[in-house]
């Protein structure tokens, strides 16, 4: 019996390092991005529909505001690219059950696109290799290839040329979420504006961070967290500075705006410290809501 439905679970990411080079002629920036996949998940279910039905998308879950249920959804872009590449007509319904914050700097849209690639490959028995999936993924967005692999990885180029990072141990995170997202292009543009007078060099891997990951030294990882987009995100959303301060005050090992923000990620020593910090952040009144997670976890995978 051919399969008629598949559910793929895909994690969110935080950036442990995001170093941004000068703006290139194509409008993009060369990056060194160290990603860690963390335990907040979207579930993407793809069900085959009648021939001729085309593609429909619905969104459910606690994080749905502002997610397009049409061709603008990155899941639809994934289907369109695979259809072209594999000469496939897709008649299906995609249901995205979202828990990853929307426009939060945690790659929520990219995650759903990665899950869709894995799901379509499974449903239609395409037998895609990792490289073929990655090739499609990088055409959708810079973060999509990482959401296929998960774990901890270094992204170069636009952030999409991945190598695995040697990382040991489990890291515990507290995430301060915002009710309103930030636009990634707007944050990159603000970063360029803030750095207009500076000489920007090509980004390098942060060796201290690499050593700390290898040694499973959370305190050293916390001290090494770095994000060149942080100043830009704080410039567009000044309240983020307060959030960063509150977390530091309550004993986080490190605090960083994730990606282009506005989610702020705090690294903590263990689950108990995470619970304490979550309570402190909630009662401080400066954050909308708080989530806890651990990483690294695996990338997009079929769960049923
Ligand atoms: O590739 P993706 O669609 O995720 O990128 C979103 C936006 O982020 C781009 O339109 C661009 O403004 C910015 N970006 C960049 N340099 C990168 C990656 C993204 O300027 N390496």
């Amino acid at each position: 019996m051919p399969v008629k439905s598949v559910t793929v679970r895909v994690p969110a990411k935080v950036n442990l390092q995001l170093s941004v080079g000068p703006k290139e002629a194509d409008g993009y920036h060369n990056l060194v991005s160290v990603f860690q996949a963390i335990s907040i998940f979207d579930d993407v279910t793809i069900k085959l529909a009648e021939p001729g039905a085309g593609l429909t998308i619905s969104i459910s879950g606690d994080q749905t505001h502002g997610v397009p249920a049409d061709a603008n959804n990155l899941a639809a872009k994934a289907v369109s690219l695979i259809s072209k590449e594999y000469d496939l007509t897709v008649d299906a319904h995609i249901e995205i059950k979202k828990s990853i914050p929307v426009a939060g700097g945690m790659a929520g849209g990219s995650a759903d696109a990665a899950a869709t690639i894995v799901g379509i490959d499974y449903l239609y028995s395409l037998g895609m290799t990792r490289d073929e999936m990655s090739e499609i993924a990088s055409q959708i967005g810079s973060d999509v290839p990482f959401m296929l692999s998960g774990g901890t990885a270094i992204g170069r180029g636009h952030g999409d040329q991945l190598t695995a990072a040697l990382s040991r141990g489990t890291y515990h995170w507290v995430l301060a979420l915002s009710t309103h997202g930030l636009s990634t292009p707007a944050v990159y543009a603000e970063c360029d504006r803030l750095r207009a007078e500076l000489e920007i060099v090509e980004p390098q891997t942060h060796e201290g961070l690499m050593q700390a990951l290898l040694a499973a030294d959370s305190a050293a990882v916390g001290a090494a967290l770095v994000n060149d987009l942080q100043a830009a995100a704080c410039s567009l959303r000044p309240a983020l500075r307060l959030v960063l301060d509150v977390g530091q005050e309550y004993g986080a090992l490190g605090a960083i705006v994730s990606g282009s923000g506005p989610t702020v990620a705090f690294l903590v020593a263990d689950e108990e410290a995470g619970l304490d910090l979550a309570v402190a952040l909630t009662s401080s009144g400066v954050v909308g809501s708080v989530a806890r997670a651990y990483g690294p976890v695996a990338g997009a995978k079929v769960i049923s």
Side-chain angles (χ1 to χ4, degrees):
M1 269 274 286
V3 270
K4 293 226 162 65
S5 164
V6 64
T7 298
V8 181
R9 178 162 288 177
V10 64
K13 61 88 179 161
V14 290
N15 296 87
L16 310 179
Q17 174 186 354
L18 181 50
S19 297
V20 180
K23 189 173 174 176
E24 303 291 316
D26 63 0
Y28 277 72
H29 302 72
N30 278 335
L31 308 177
V32 169
S33 174
V34 179
F35 301 101
Q36 186 178 93
I38 63 167
S39 63
I40 295 178
F41 302 97
D42 282 359
D43 284 346
V44 176
T45 299
I46 311 179
K47 287 195 178 103
L48 289 185
E50 294 300 313
L55 182 73
T56 51
I57 296 179
S58 63
I59 322 284
S60 65
D62 38 331
Q63 302 282 339
T64 62
H65 186 72
V67 184
D70 57 20
N72 292 315
N73 195 297
L74 294 186
K77 202 162 173 194
V79 170
S80 147
L81 285 168
I82 298 178
S83 302
K84 229 178 266 164
E85 183 73 27
Y86 292 85
D87 199 15
L88 190 73
T89 303
V90 173
D91 293 302
H93 178 71
I94 301 183
E95 189 193 337
I96 304 175
K97 191 160 167 259
K98 286 209 73 68
S99 295
I100 305 175
V102 177
M106 299 181 76
S110 300
D112 300 340
T116 302
I117 295 172
V118 171
I120 294 285
D121 172 63
Y122 185 89
L123 264 189
Y124 290 90
S125 306
L126 299 178
M128 291 169 78
T129 63
R130 275 278 144 193
D131 282 354
E132 286 164 349
M133 288 190 187
S134 214
E135 172 57 33
I136 297 277
S138 64
Q139 294 177 54
I140 303 168
S142 311
D143 291 341
V144 185
F146 174 69
M147 306 322 301
L148 289 169
S149 67
T152 308
I154 305 167
R156 295 190 176 81
H158 288 179
D160 55 339
Q161 295 163 22
L162 293 179
T163 46
L166 296 172
S167 175
R168 291 167 48 233
T170 296
Y171 298 85
H172 296 273
W173 297 93
V174 176
L175 303 153
L177 311 178
S178 296
T179 42
H180 299 286
L182 276 173
S183 142
T184 302
V187 175
Y188 273 97
E190 180 66 0
C191 176
D192 291 336
R193 194 186 69 80
L194 291 175
R195 306 194 309 183
E197 305 300 322
L198 304 176
E199 196 188 326
I200 308 300
V201 294
E202 283 303 315
Q204 304 292 328
T205 312
H206 184 329
E207 281 314 316
L209 174 64
M210 294 300 132
Q211 306 252 328
L213 287 169
L214 191 56
D217 183 342
S218 300
V221 171
L225 298 173
V226 60
N227 180 1
D228 286 348
L229 293 181
Q230 183 156 311
C234 290
S235 167
L236 296 177
R237 188 70 63 78
L240 292 181
R241 289 189 217 282
L242 276 178
V243 179
L244 286 159
D245 288 348
V246 172
Q248 300 274 32
E249 220 171 282
Y250 284 93
L253 301 173
I256 194 169
V257 169
S258 181
S260 55
T263 301
V264 175
F266 299 99
L267 185 61
V268 291
D270 50 33
E271 255 187 282
E272 203 184 329
L275 202 51
D276 289 347
L277 179 56
V279 170
L281 282 167
T282 305
S283 52
S284 73
V286 298
V287 294
S289 60
V290 175
R292 289 182 295 133
Y294 61 87
V297 297
K301 62 166 186 267
V302 171
I303 56 166
S304 65

